[in-house]
Amino acid sequence: MRRILSAVVVLVLAASVEPFTPPLAPPVTTQGDHIIELNNDPSLSHPPLSRRDVITNTLALSTLSLMLGMSPAAAAVDPYATASINDNLFQSSDLPRDYIRSYLQYRLPLQTSFDYLQFRLRPLLESPETWPQVSQSFKSESARAGQSSGGTYFDRNLVNPMRIIGLAAPPDFSDPLRDLERQFDGQIVALGKEISGRGGDSPVEVKRADVEKVQKLYKESTSTLAKWVATLSSSLPVAELVPPNPTSYPRSESKWNVQEKAKRACQNRGGPTLAQGWGALMVTGTVKNPCGDANDVVFFYQ
């Protein structure tokens, strides 16, 4: 029942604006354990609203939610309502179009990578015995057509998106964003060198000081990410990204696991483009959804 009510709220919001299709950035394909392909899902892009429309729709959302027996807070956390309001704020802002386009293109892989740092990298760095399980993320891979743009996991999914966003940012924010991006890049490279060829079954001795250094580098790198996100968010009409945090992280690990499993299934079938060829088999019930059951909107707006 609540799903139906939420859908009514979103339909009211959508009905109050003129249809418009914003330009979509080209898809970005990556290779690694976690992010496979950025899906330019139209559900993450919405018609632009004027500031008056945003205020009007917000009031309408509150009024309608009360009429339907929902609290305004409950309606506000509906991911589709949040996506519609936020993306309309981005599209109607006075910020450079390239900047908005770059952010909208990379926000999903950035947030997924933040989840990776929080849910997988952080616990596996705590003991040298598990360092080999994440060492692959620090190794550079050759570019492969349709599969990978090359570099390490962190190059593809964090450093490069951060660099592109920083280059497109307004002058007052470009230099701080670029400085923090370079700082993070240096820290993550140093972290990779520290665990490379060590831990697990490696005969190389790992001392307590080495473990402490790894922990220190991880904390420094995530602290730099938090500063980068804070700087980015201060330049945008609404803050969305949640950086990794050792003490408080509101996002769901179970949802991240579901998202990762679906993305890997999609990659195994050649990505969204080739996976469409599996659609005929889905009609007969031979296979399930070729790209898994991931929902980018629900995953991003937790």
Side-chain angles (χ1 to χ4, degrees):
M1 182 64 182
R2 293 186 65 86
R3 289 179 178 271
I4 297 175
L5 297 179
S6 298
V8 173
V9 172
V10 177
L11 288 174
V12 170
L13 287 173
S16 64
V17 298
E18 294 293 328
F20 175 78
T21 302
L24 295 177
V28 174
T29 305
T30 64
Q31 174 70 29
D33 292 338
H34 303 283
I35 297 177
I36 290 90
E37 184 161 354
L38 173 61
N39 178 19
N40 280 314
D41 188 343
S43 61
L44 285 177
S45 299
H46 304 271
L49 291 173
S50 66
R51 288 179 174 81
R52 187 175 70 176
D53 288 335
V54 171
I55 295 173
T56 301
N57 286 344
T58 302
L59 292 174
L61 175 63
S62 299
T63 302
L64 183 58
S65 63
L66 291 174
M67 292 173 60
L68 295 174
M70 301 167 59
S71 70
V77 298
D78 178 270
Y80 292 99
T82 303
S84 180
I85 293 173
N86 285 9
D87 281 9
N88 286 317
L89 284 172
F90 287 123
Q91 297 294 346
S92 62
S93 75
D94 297 328
L95 291 167
R97 290 295 89 191
D98 285 346
Y99 185 47
I100 293 297
R101 195 157 40 237
S102 297
Y103 170 74
L104 293 180
Q105 178 180 351
Y106 289 110
R107 61 181 175 177
L108 179 60
L110 281 171
Q111 188 61 69
T112 308
S113 297
F114 295 162
D115 288 350
Y116 167 70
L117 266 68
Q118 179 76 21
F119 297 134
R120 181 167 174 81
L121 185 64
R122 181 178 64 88
L124 292 180
L125 288 178
E126 293 178 354
S127 170
E129 294 299 317
T130 52
W131 288 358
Q133 296 183 39
V134 292
S135 60
Q136 185 64 34
S137 298
F138 295 89
K139 295 180 181 179
S140 181
E141 298 179 356
S142 300
R144 288 180 288 175
Q147 293 291 322
S148 172
S149 57
T152 69
Y153 170 88
F154 301 101
D155 291 334
R156 297 187 301 272
N157 302 308
L158 283 169
V159 177
N160 289 343
M162 292 165 68
R163 180 177 299 123
I164 292 170
I165 291 173
L167 288 171
D172 291 345
F173 296 94
S174 182
D175 286 343
L177 288 172
R178 291 300 313 280
D179 289 343
L180 289 167
E181 168 243 310
R182 295 187 188 99
Q183 185 178 347
F184 170 77
D185 188 17
Q187 290 166 338
I188 209 70
V189 168
L191 177 57
K193 290 181 178 178
E194 195 64 29
I195 69 170
S196 178
R198 311 176 73 181
D201 297 330
S202 173
V204 179
E205 181 183 4
V206 179
K207 299 179 180 179
R208 181 179 181 84
D210 298 324
V211 177
E212 292 175 351
K213 184 176 182 179
V214 166
Q215 295 298 315
K216 181 174 180 291
L217 286 169
Y218 173 81
K219 291 179 181 178
E220 289 175 348
S221 62
T222 53
S223 175
T224 300
L225 276 182
K227 294 175 183 177
W228 186 86
V229 170
T231 303
L232 173 71
S233 298
S234 67
S235 72
L236 297 172
V238 61
E240 295 183 314
L241 296 179
V242 180
N245 187 310
T247 58
S248 176
Y249 195 68
R251 292 178 58 79
S252 167
E253 183 174 2
S254 62
K255 289 182 180 179
W256 174 73
N257 286 326
V258 170
Q259 187 82 356
E260 293 301 283
K261 183 178 179 180
K263 293 293 186 180
R264 285 194 294 271
C266 187
Q267 184 191 38
N268 291 338
R269 296 183 174 104
T273 301
L274 293 179
Q276 292 176 2
W278 293 67
L281 296 178
M282 291 177 61
V283 174
T284 63
T286 306
V287 297
K288 297 181 180 180
N289 185 341
C291 275
D293 299 320
N295 185 313
D296 291 339
V297 174
V298 175
F299 171 73
F300 187 78
Y301 292 104
Q302 296 181 24

